Amino acid sequence: MSSSRAEAIFCGVDIGASATKLVLIGDQGQVLARVVRHSGVDYAATAETCLGEALEQAGVERQHIAGTVSTGYGRQNVAFADAHRTEITCHATGCFSLIGRAMTIIDIGGQDNKIIHLDEQGRRRSFKMNRKCAAGTGAFIEEIALRLGLDVSQLDPLAEQAERSVKLGSFCTVFAKTEILAHLRQGEPVEGIIRGAFESVITRVLEMDTLEGEIVATGGVVAHNPMIVRLLAERVGREVTIPPHPQLTGALGAALLAARRSAPAAPSTET
Ligand code: ADP
């Protein structure tokens, strides 16, 4: 597809251990394309595939891209990126562009969790990141699905049907899987076990840091499991804001940072 557009386009790529997210924006910050794919084992190839798909979605050509910023676990693997930024910076930038207020971001991703505190100007006040352990992450949920012989996309609808949560006491993913087997043997319902696993994710996240002000939840786990967000809101006793396309806030932030790089005269609001 060809285009005669003169407008500059910017690209943000967030290569997570589980999913690659890519966003194209125009020079006014408007989103032109969004792509999410499994990262697989060849991050460079996945980034290329996502870019090709996004260019087609937006109806533009590669030469129109005036800048690309990559982020995420595989950010060094994006051959077409001009710069890399940390996930914390990109998530903060993406969320603030969508919400525009002081907030506490809770990002529940495939391989790690982040809690980021932003002030009313979008500046980062502090952050915590758990990368050491799969407990409380999407990887934990994927393991539970595997143990129950289900696809990860089946978990949320099943958890919705649970009458109660079957409590998982184990902190560790490996022990939690053994515990699940014991619950199944005792005849506990699968729906309740899944809901218990969701509760366990929330417990691990809440252990990381204190939450202040408005809570904004993002990440693939949040995007695909509305039940987790409802349980989180119940647990903290207040509403939780979900931005549009919550799995893509890091990629959006990366694209916005690519645009800022090309406008050096503009005051930096990088968080
Ligand atoms: P990362 O950046 O670490 O790759 P993401 O924020 O993209 O992580 O989230 C990936 C997680 O999202 C997966 O581990 C999985 O738990 C969840 N997920 C992704 N796709 C689906 C789906 N179709 N159904 C349910 N959960 C999903």
Side-chain angles (χ1 to χ4, degrees):
M1 210 181 285
S2 80
S3 162
S4 58
R5 73 163 59 226
E7 183 192 9
I9 289 170
F10 300 95
C11 175
V13 197
D14 176 5
I15 305 214
S18 172
T20 292
K21 287 75 64 177
L22 189 145
V23 168
L24 293 182
I25 60 170
D27 54 14
Q28 302 303 308
Q30 74 280 22
V31 174
L32 305 173
R34 295 180 189 89
V35 177
V36 180
R37 274 181 171 263
H38 279 299
S39 294
V41 290
D42 187 344
Y43 296 160
T46 306
E48 275 296 330
T49 307
C50 289
L51 178 61
E53 219 175 290
L55 291 172
E56 206 169 310
Q57 243 184 60
V60 295
E61 286 167 10
R62 203 179 174 117
Q63 65 264 28
H64 291 127
I65 297 181
T68 298
V69 165
S70 65
T71 187
Y73 183 72
R75 60 179 174 268
Q76 308 288 347
N77 299 78
V78 183
F80 56 88
D82 311 301
H84 318 299
R85 292 286 184 273
T86 68
E87 290 135 277
I88 300 292
T89 295
C90 291
H91 277 87
T93 304
C95 282
F96 191 73
S97 77
L98 295 166
I99 308 286
R101 300 182 287 273
M103 70 190 99
T104 295
I105 303 166
I106 298 181
D107 183 85
I108 312 180
Q111 211 67 23
D112 63 54
N113 298 323
K114 311 169 197 52
I115 295 188
I116 312 167
H117 298 282
L118 299 186
D119 69 12
E120 49 290 333
Q121 263 86 49
R123 287 177 304 227
R124 190 173 70 212
R125 290 199 293 110
S126 63
F127 75 92
K128 294 268 173 67
M129 190 160 170
N130 155 38
R131 194 167 246 175
K132 289 198 194 105
C133 175
T137 68
F140 175 77
I141 293 174
E142 289 180 40
E143 289 285 344
I144 300 297
L146 206 64
R147 172 59 81 199
L148 295 172
L150 297 167
D151 185 82
V152 79
S153 61
Q154 295 174 277
L155 299 184
D156 194 74
L158 285 168
E160 300 272 0
Q161 292 165 28
E163 284 169 15
R164 63 184 176 85
S165 299
V166 176
K167 193 169 166 21
L168 293 184
S170 307
F171 179 84
C172 170
T173 308
V174 179
F175 293 140
K177 284 198 293 185
T178 312
E179 207 184 331
I180 283 171
L181 278 185
H183 285 310
L184 288 172
R185 203 176 51 229
Q186 287 156 14
E188 292 283 14
V190 167
E191 293 83 355
I193 294 174
I194 297 167
R195 193 171 143 156
F198 282 6
E199 298 265 17
S200 153
V201 167
I202 294 163
T203 303
R204 298 286 87 83
V205 171
L206 293 180
E207 278 167 0
M208 287 171 63
D209 203 356
T210 51
L211 307 179
E212 295 153 20
E214 183 170 356
I215 300 170
V216 176
T218 63
V221 170
V222 166
H224 293 282
N225 300 286
M227 183 72 186
I228 289 201
V229 180
R230 279 219 300 284
L231 292 170
L232 171 66
E234 264 172 40
R235 189 82 76 85
V236 297
R238 53 193 145 124
E239 272 181 38
V240 172
T241 305
I242 312 290
H245 308 284
Q247 196 173 5
L248 285 129
T249 46
L252 172 65
L256 290 166
L257 292 169
R260 281 182 209 167
R261 284 186 86 241
S262 84
S268 170
T269 51
E270 199 162 310
T271 54

